[in-house]
Amino acid sequence: MKTVLAVNGSPRGKRGNTDKILQPFLDGMWGAGAKVEMLYLKDLAIAECRGCYTCQMITPGECVIKDDMDWIVDEMLKADVMVFATPLYVFTVTALMKAFMDRMIVLGDLKLIYVDGLSAHPPLHADKKWEWVLISNAGFPERAQFSALEETFRKFAWAIGGGTHAKLAGSILKGMGEILTVKQLIPEFQWFFDACRKAGS
């Protein structure tokens, strides 16, 4: 049985368009037998990374900041799949998601290794491998508007996973996400929600 940790970085939480896309995807995973845990970053205490590198040089894998990231890291290490859900803010993630991603530095080693000619940080937990999924929506209609966001997660998975221990397995990217706030139009997108559910399965 696969264990899934889903992280929603929308400041709207359960009321946001991102969650409307995320939930059918997770329903599909749950229906296929996965164990799914859901986190809403807006409800958690996650301070910004201080860039002190204590978690790398003095207490490997342990941050000096004591907040909800302490137990979230434990949950990440139990997960086989991580789902990152964020609306597109200035062509990247929300501030909530960025703080969360920055604090994930505790999962890597400060050393540099080279894999296929690119530098990466070796993972601190060498026996751990993840598949990552990215879910996002934006006001713009074109898929190309998500290109910087997708590349951020590809590079992040590469760098923190030592080139081999984390990979972006797939993305669900919905343009014109604000349409999902119009209740009368929701039935018109049933095909989309069904596809999200199938992708999760």
Side-chain angles (χ1 to χ4, degrees):
M1 178 177 68
K2 291 221 173 188
T3 300
V4 179
L5 180 64
V7 181
N8 186 330
S10 171
R12 298 183 189 176
K14 294 179 182 179
R15 298 182 297 105
N17 300 316
T18 302
D19 211 55
K20 290 183 176 77
I21 302 167
L22 174 61
Q23 289 309 318
F25 178 74
L26 296 181
D27 285 347
M29 298 183 110
W30 179 80
K35 178 184 177 185
V36 180
E37 182 176 2
M38 180 75 237
L39 301 179
Y40 290 94
L41 295 183
K42 80 175 194 66
D43 299 327
L44 300 171
I46 299 175
E48 294 87 355
C49 177
R50 298 174 186 169
C52 66
Y53 292 104
T54 300
C55 66
Q56 304 280 318
M57 297 185 290
I58 300 173
T59 55
E62 184 178 341
C63 183
V64 295
I65 303 170
K66 299 306 172 190
D67 58 15
D68 284 325
M69 277 303 286
D70 284 346
W71 62 266
I72 293 172
V73 168
D74 291 338
E75 295 305 305
M76 282 193 277
L77 292 174
K78 295 174 188 174
D80 303 299
V81 178
M82 286 195 62
V83 182
F84 297 85
T86 177
L88 192 71
Y89 276 25
V90 195
F91 303 99
T92 186
V93 299
T94 63
L96 290 168
M97 183 64 80
K98 185 62 168 65
F100 173 74
M101 292 166 67
D102 287 346
R103 293 285 299 282
M104 285 175 65
I105 190 175
V106 299
L107 296 170
D109 192 302
L110 193 59
K111 301 184 190 76
L112 282 182
I113 58 173
Y114 292 89
V115 182
D116 297 332
L118 287 176
S119 54
H121 295 293
L124 191 62
H125 306 274
D127 59 336
K128 187 72 221 172
K129 291 197 176 188
W130 289 279
E131 289 183 306
W132 288 7
V133 177
L134 171 62
I135 290 177
S136 186
N137 83 103
F140 294 118
E142 303 89 3
R143 190 189 191 286
Q145 305 287 357
F146 294 97
S147 60
L149 177 70
E150 274 196 297
E151 186 62 13
T152 293
F153 275 91
R154 285 195 193 97
K155 292 288 188 187
F156 185 38
W158 177 273
I160 206 164
T164 57
H165 288 255
K167 68 175 182 177
L168 183 60
S171 304
I172 298 175
L173 308 171
K174 177 73 180 80
M176 299 183 74
E178 282 299 309
I179 287 177
L180 301 180
T181 63
V182 183
K183 290 182 180 178
Q184 301 93 311
L185 293 179
I186 291 294
E188 300 297 324
F189 289 93
Q190 192 55 52
W191 64 269
F192 174 72
F193 298 126
D194 290 343
C196 291
R197 198 169 284 108
K198 185 176 181 182
S201 177

Short mmCIF file of all heavy atoms in Angstrom, two decimals, residues 104-132:
data_model
loop_
_atom_site.label_atom_id
_atom_site.label_comp_id
_atom_site.label_asym_id
_atom_site.label_seq_id
_atom_site.Cartn_x
_atom_site.Cartn_y
_atom_site.Cartn_z
N MET A 104 12.37 22.32 3.67
CA MET A 104 12.70 20.94 3.30
C MET A 104 14.19 20.72 3.11
O MET A 104 14.64 19.61 2.87
CB MET A 104 11.94 20.54 2.02
CG MET A 104 10.46 20.27 2.26
SD MET A 104 9.54 19.93 0.73
CE MET A 104 10.30 18.39 0.19
N ILE A 105 14.97 21.79 3.29
CA ILE A 105 16.42 21.67 3.21
C ILE A 105 16.95 20.62 4.19
O ILE A 105 18.01 20.03 3.98
CB ILE A 105 17.10 23.04 3.46
CG1 ILE A 105 18.60 22.98 3.12
CG2 ILE A 105 16.87 23.51 4.88
CD1 ILE A 105 19.29 24.33 3.22
N VAL A 106 16.21 20.38 5.28
CA VAL A 106 16.65 19.39 6.28
C VAL A 106 16.74 17.98 5.70
O VAL A 106 17.37 17.10 6.30
CB VAL A 106 15.73 19.37 7.52
CG1 VAL A 106 15.72 20.71 8.22
CG2 VAL A 106 14.32 18.93 7.16
N LEU A 107 16.13 17.75 4.54
CA LEU A 107 16.13 16.42 3.93
C LEU A 107 17.36 16.15 3.08
O LEU A 107 17.58 15.02 2.64
CB LEU A 107 14.87 16.23 3.07
CG LEU A 107 13.55 16.28 3.82
CD1 LEU A 107 12.39 16.33 2.84
CD2 LEU A 107 13.42 15.08 4.74
N GLY A 108 18.15 17.20 2.84
CA GLY A 108 19.32 17.04 1.99
C GLY A 108 20.62 17.17 2.75
O GLY A 108 20.66 17.57 3.91
N ASP A 109 21.69 16.83 2.07
CA ASP A 109 23.05 16.96 2.60
C ASP A 109 23.70 18.16 1.93
O ASP A 109 23.46 18.43 0.75
CB ASP A 109 23.83 15.68 2.29
CG ASP A 109 25.14 15.60 3.05
OD1 ASP A 109 25.97 16.51 2.88
OD2 ASP A 109 25.35 14.62 3.77
N LEU A 110 24.52 18.90 2.66
CA LEU A 110 25.13 20.10 2.11
C LEU A 110 26.18 19.80 1.04
O LEU A 110 26.51 20.64 0.22
CB LEU A 110 25.78 20.92 3.25
CG LEU A 110 26.20 22.36 2.92
CD1 LEU A 110 24.99 23.17 2.45
CD2 LEU A 110 26.85 23.00 4.12
N LYS A 111 26.69 18.56 1.03
CA LYS A 111 27.70 18.19 0.03
C LYS A 111 27.12 18.32 -1.37
O LYS A 111 25.91 18.30 -1.57
CB LYS A 111 28.15 16.75 0.24
CG LYS A 111 28.76 16.44 1.58
CD LYS A 111 29.26 14.99 1.58
CE LYS A 111 29.66 14.56 2.98
NZ LYS A 111 28.49 14.28 3.83
N LEU A 112 27.99 18.43 -2.34
CA LEU A 112 27.58 18.45 -3.74
C LEU A 112 28.04 17.18 -4.44
O LEU A 112 29.18 16.75 -4.25
CB LEU A 112 28.15 19.66 -4.47
CG LEU A 112 27.47 21.01 -4.26
CD1 LEU A 112 28.16 22.07 -5.11
CD2 LEU A 112 26.00 20.96 -4.60
N ILE A 113 27.15 16.59 -5.20
CA ILE A 113 27.51 15.47 -6.06
C ILE A 113 27.13 15.86 -7.48
O ILE A 113 26.39 16.82 -7.70
CB ILE A 113 26.79 14.17 -5.65
CG1 ILE A 113 25.26 14.37 -5.69
CG2 ILE A 113 27.25 13.70 -4.27
CD1 ILE A 113 24.48 13.08 -5.45
N TYR A 114 27.65 15.14 -8.45
CA TYR A 114 27.34 15.43 -9.85
C TYR A 114 26.70 14.21 -10.49
O TYR A 114 27.26 13.11 -10.43
CB TYR A 114 28.62 15.87 -10.59
CG TYR A 114 29.11 17.20 -10.09
CD1 TYR A 114 30.00 17.28 -9.02
CD2 TYR A 114 28.63 18.39 -10.64
CE1 TYR A 114 30.41 18.50 -8.52
CE2 TYR A 114 29.04 19.62 -10.14
CZ TYR A 114 29.93 19.68 -9.09
OH TYR A 114 30.33 20.89 -8.59
N VAL A 115 25.51 14.41 -11.04
CA VAL A 115 24.77 13.34 -11.69
C VAL A 115 24.45 13.81 -13.11
O VAL A 115 23.79 14.84 -13.29
CB VAL A 115 23.46 13.03 -10.94
CG1 VAL A 115 22.71 11.88 -11.60
CG2 VAL A 115 23.74 12.70 -9.47
N ASP A 116 24.94 13.07 -14.08
CA ASP A 116 24.73 13.44 -15.49
C ASP A 116 25.15 14.88 -15.77
O ASP A 116 24.49 15.61 -16.51
CB ASP A 116 23.27 13.24 -15.89
CG ASP A 116 22.84 11.77 -15.79
OD1 ASP A 116 23.70 10.89 -15.94
OD2 ASP A 116 21.65 11.53 -15.55
N GLY A 117 26.25 15.29 -15.16
CA GLY A 117 26.81 16.61 -15.43
C GLY A 117 26.18 17.75 -14.67
O GLY A 117 26.57 18.91 -14.85
N LEU A 118 25.19 17.46 -13.80
CA LEU A 118 24.55 18.52 -13.01
C LEU A 118 24.80 18.29 -11.53
O LEU A 118 24.81 17.16 -11.05
CB LEU A 118 23.04 18.53 -13.28
CG LEU A 118 22.57 19.08 -14.63
CD1 LEU A 118 21.07 18.92 -14.75
CD2 LEU A 118 22.96 20.54 -14.79
N SER A 119 24.98 19.39 -10.79
CA SER A 119 25.21 19.27 -9.36
C SER A 119 23.89 19.09 -8.61
O SER A 119 22.85 19.60 -9.02
CB SER A 119 25.94 20.51 -8.83
OG SER A 119 25.25 21.68 -9.19
N ALA A 120 23.96 18.34 -7.52
CA ALA A 120 22.79 18.08 -6.67
C ALA A 120 23.28 17.83 -5.26
O ALA A 120 24.47 17.60 -5.03
CB ALA A 120 22.01 16.87 -7.18
N HIS A 121 22.36 17.92 -4.31
CA HIS A 121 22.68 17.57 -2.93
C HIS A 121 22.28 16.11 -2.70
O HIS A 121 21.14 15.73 -3.02
CB HIS A 121 21.90 18.45 -1.94
CG HIS A 121 22.28 19.88 -1.99
ND1 HIS A 121 23.52 20.35 -1.61
CD2 HIS A 121 21.59 20.99 -2.41
CE1 HIS A 121 23.57 21.65 -1.76
NE2 HIS A 121 22.42 22.07 -2.25
N PRO A 122 23.18 15.30 -2.16
CA PRO A 122 22.77 13.92 -1.86
C PRO A 122 21.71 13.92 -0.77
O PRO A 122 21.74 14.77 0.14
CB PRO A 122 24.06 13.26 -1.37
CG PRO A 122 24.94 14.37 -0.94
CD PRO A 122 24.57 15.56 -1.77
N PRO A 123 20.74 13.02 -0.84
CA PRO A 123 19.71 12.98 0.19
C PRO A 123 20.28 12.52 1.53
O PRO A 123 21.16 11.66 1.58
CB PRO A 123 18.70 11.96 -0.36
CG PRO A 123 19.50 11.10 -1.27
CD PRO A 123 20.57 11.98 -1.85
N LEU A 124 19.80 13.13 2.60
CA LEU A 124 20.25 12.73 3.93
C LEU A 124 19.76 11.33 4.27
O LEU A 124 20.43 10.58 4.96
CB LEU A 124 19.73 13.74 4.97
CG LEU A 124 20.30 13.64 6.37
CD1 LEU A 124 21.81 13.88 6.36
CD2 LEU A 124 19.63 14.64 7.30
N HIS A 125 18.58 10.98 3.75
CA HIS A 125 18.00 9.64 3.98
C HIS A 125 18.12 8.85 2.68
O HIS A 125 17.21 8.84 1.85
CB HIS A 125 16.55 9.77 4.43
CG HIS A 125 16.38 10.65 5.62
ND1 HIS A 125 16.51 10.18 6.92
CD2 HIS A 125 16.13 11.98 5.73
CE1 HIS A 125 16.33 11.18 7.76
NE2 HIS A 125 16.09 12.28 7.07
N ALA A 126 19.26 8.21 2.50
CA ALA A 126 19.59 7.60 1.22
C ALA A 126 18.66 6.46 0.82
O ALA A 126 18.57 6.12 -0.35
CB ALA A 126 21.04 7.10 1.25
N ASP A 127 17.97 5.87 1.79
CA ASP A 127 17.07 4.76 1.48
C ASP A 127 15.68 5.24 1.07
O ASP A 127 14.82 4.44 0.71
CB ASP A 127 16.95 3.82 2.69
CG ASP A 127 16.42 4.53 3.93
OD1 ASP A 127 16.58 5.77 4.01
OD2 ASP A 127 15.85 3.86 4.80
N LYS A 128 15.45 6.55 1.09
CA LYS A 128 14.12 7.10 0.82
C LYS A 128 14.02 7.57 -0.62
O LYS A 128 14.88 8.30 -1.10
CB LYS A 128 13.86 8.28 1.76
CG LYS A 128 12.46 8.84 1.68
CD LYS A 128 11.46 7.91 2.31
CE LYS A 128 10.18 7.82 1.53
NZ LYS A 128 9.28 6.79 2.03
N LYS A 129 12.96 7.14 -1.30
CA LYS A 129 12.69 7.63 -2.65
C LYS A 129 11.25 8.09 -2.72
O LYS A 129 10.36 7.46 -2.15
CB LYS A 129 12.95 6.54 -3.69
CG LYS A 129 14.43 6.18 -3.83
CD LYS A 129 14.69 5.43 -5.12
CE LYS A 129 16.18 5.19 -5.28
NZ LYS A 129 16.51 4.62 -6.59
N TRP A 130 11.04 9.21 -3.42
CA TRP A 130 9.70 9.77 -3.55
C TRP A 130 9.32 9.94 -5.01
O TRP A 130 10.17 10.19 -5.86
CB TRP A 130 9.62 11.17 -2.94
CG TRP A 130 9.70 11.29 -1.48
CD1 TRP A 130 8.70 11.10 -0.56
CD2 TRP A 130 10.85 11.68 -0.72
NE1 TRP A 130 9.16 11.34 0.71
CE2 TRP A 130 10.47 11.70 0.64
CE3 TRP A 130 12.16 12.01 -1.06
CZ2 TRP A 130 11.36 12.06 1.64
CZ3 TRP A 130 13.03 12.35 -0.07
CH2 TRP A 130 12.64 12.37 1.27
N GLU A 131 8.02 9.85 -5.26
CA GLU A 131 7.44 10.37 -6.48
C GLU A 131 6.67 11.62 -6.09
O GLU A 131 5.94 11.62 -5.09
CB GLU A 131 6.50 9.35 -7.12
CG GLU A 131 7.24 8.17 -7.73
CD GLU A 131 6.29 7.22 -8.42
OE1 GLU A 131 5.33 6.78 -7.78
OE2 GLU A 131 6.52 6.95 -9.61
N TRP A 132 6.85 12.68 -6.85
CA TRP A 132 6.18 13.94 -6.58
C TRP A 132 5.13 14.21 -7.64
O TRP A 132 5.32 13.88 -8.81
CB TRP A 132 7.17 15.09 -6.58
CG TRP A 132 8.10 15.15 -5.41
CD1 TRP A 132 8.24 14.23 -4.42
CD2 TRP A 132 9.04 16.19 -5.11
NE1 TRP A 132 9.19 14.62 -3.52
CE2 TRP A 132 9.70 15.82 -3.92
CE3 TRP A 132 9.38 17.37 -5.73
CZ2 TRP A 132 10.68 16.62 -3.35
CZ3 TRP A 132 10.36 18.17 -5.17
CH2 TRP A 132 11.01 17.79 -3.98
#
